Amino acid sequence: MGTRSAFAAPRDWRARWGREAPPPPGARIRRRRRAQVTAAMSSAAGPDPAEAPEERRFLSAAEAAALERELLEDYRFGRQQLVELCGHASAVAVTKVFPLPALSRKERTVLVVCGPEQNGAVGLVCARHLRVFEYEPTIFYPTRSLDLLHRDLTTQCEKMDIPFLSYLPTEVQLINEAYGLVVDAVLGPGVEPGEVGGPCTRALATLKLLSIPLVSLDIPSGWDAETGGDAEDGLRPDVLVSLAAPKRCAGRFSGRHHFVAGRFVPDDVRRKFALRLPGYTGTDCVAAL
């Protein structure tokens, strides 16, 4: 027997009360008032500690993967949909810290460095939206993925006349002089530098030496998602945009601005993973932590 929807039309009163007449006037009101008093007393007493998990600000790598599976398998989000949501929100975070009207022509130039995994796909979407927002992005994508989603996103950027660098200058001062800021979309959680090839590893070595602002997507590339290992000797971004929810390594982030881009995470999923996340203002898709 199927579960009856809460939105289904109420059953005929005879099915609820038998063949007798409905309850006398006022009975339902009195029952409702008693229920309200009981609920208020329960609320004042606080939740049962055994039933209310302690809320957390950060997710482990396993929890982050489980949250993503929940979105993909139970809520039927598409992979491209999630990448698009995260990339758009990442671009919005950039506009929050570096608003276009306050930037000089040179400061509007953004170098987006992408890797071949999912974070690289988010970076491609971020670059496309930055172009829509009238910034001037350039993409360095040294190890291109054969994945269809990456190829489609690359085509979109090319069709929008976003330039792609064929190589990244090893002389850091050239990058500092050419761009106003850099977006790090090289590695995501669980991806080691050695897994993506030499060009990405060399790019990370160059990004460590920059003097212009650095924005990292989800986690700073090269950091251990759990412990923040390599946080001292690795990238030191000025801005971190946590995707869906902050990962444990974000606890070691010491930059100027930390945003979470997770407004698309349903409330039920947030409660299931006991996430303590800030409220989003108006129609914003990112929130400052």
Side-chain angles (χ1 to χ4, degrees):
M1 182 175 178
T3 303
R4 186 166 178 270
S5 169
F7 298 101
R11 293 189 181 99
D12 184 80
W13 62 265
R14 291 183 181 82
R16 295 182 60 190
W17 304 101
R19 296 184 178 277
E20 302 297 327
R28 290 177 179 169
I29 296 175
R30 287 193 293 272
R31 278 200 301 273
R32 190 182 303 121
R33 286 177 178 168
R34 284 197 297 269
Q36 290 171 344
V37 171
T38 302
M41 293 175 63
S42 299
S43 175
D48 184 345
E51 296 178 359
E54 181 182 357
E55 290 195 313
R56 298 160 296 183
R57 185 171 178 177
F58 305 115
L59 290 182
S60 68
E63 289 166 336
L67 186 150
E68 184 171 324
R69 283 196 303 273
E70 185 102 5
L71 295 176
L72 291 170
E73 297 173 6
D74 293 354
Y75 279 80
R76 308 306 297 170
F77 278 78
R79 178 168 166 253
Q80 181 172 355
Q81 180 184 11
L82 289 179
V83 167
E84 185 71 25
L85 287 165
C86 290
H88 171 259
S90 297
V92 169
V94 170
T95 70
K96 296 284 188 185
V97 182
F98 308 99
L100 198 65
L103 301 180
S104 67
R105 181 66 181 269
K106 182 258 182 181
E107 290 171 332
R108 298 180 183 189
T109 57
V110 183
L111 176 61
V112 183
V113 184
C114 299
E117 304 293 337
Q118 182 159 303
N119 246 32
V122 174
L124 292 170
V125 174
C126 176
R128 171 160 49 79
H129 283 287
L130 286 173
R131 168 53 64 88
V132 172
F133 297 154
E134 300 185 356
Y135 291 74
E136 299 178 17
T138 295
I139 298 170
F140 180 56
Y141 185 19
T143 307
R144 297 202 179 191
S145 172
L146 298 178
D147 178 74
L148 181 59
L149 174 58
H150 281 250
R151 285 156 49 191
D152 288 346
L153 296 174
T154 300
T155 298
Q156 292 165 17
C157 291
E158 291 172 339
K159 291 288 189 183
M160 294 181 67
D161 294 324
I162 299 175
F164 282 74
L165 293 182
S166 57
Y167 70 95
L168 189 67
T170 54
E171 191 174 341
V172 176
Q173 190 57 30
L174 293 176
I175 302 174
N176 290 333
E177 292 174 355
Y179 301 99
L181 64 108
V182 174
V183 174
D184 156 38
V186 184
L187 306 178
V191 182
E192 298 294 332
E195 297 177 25
V196 295
C200 287
T201 303
R202 290 192 292 273
L204 291 179
T206 300
L207 296 187
K208 291 178 185 179
L209 304 176
L210 294 175
S211 60
I212 55 177
L214 179 66
V215 179
S216 286
L217 306 188
D218 209 14
I219 69 171
S221 291
W223 284 28
D224 183 283
E226 292 284 348
T227 65
D230 203 29
E232 297 301 324
D233 299 324
L235 297 184
R236 304 292 294 274
D238 301 275
V239 181
L240 177 62
V241 184
S242 293
L243 306 180
K247 315 309 180 285
R248 279 184 180 166
C249 68
R252 298 192 64 183
F253 171 69
S254 59
R256 293 183 296 153
H257 303 278
H258 185 189
F259 294 93
V260 59
R263 190 159 196 171
F264 58 87
V265 177
D267 286 343
D268 285 348
V269 177
R270 180 188 60 78
R271 285 191 289 268
K272 179 176 180 178
F273 287 87
L275 286 173
R276 185 176 75 250
L277 297 177
Y280 293 85
T281 303
T283 58
D284 281 355
C285 56
V286 296
L289 290 172

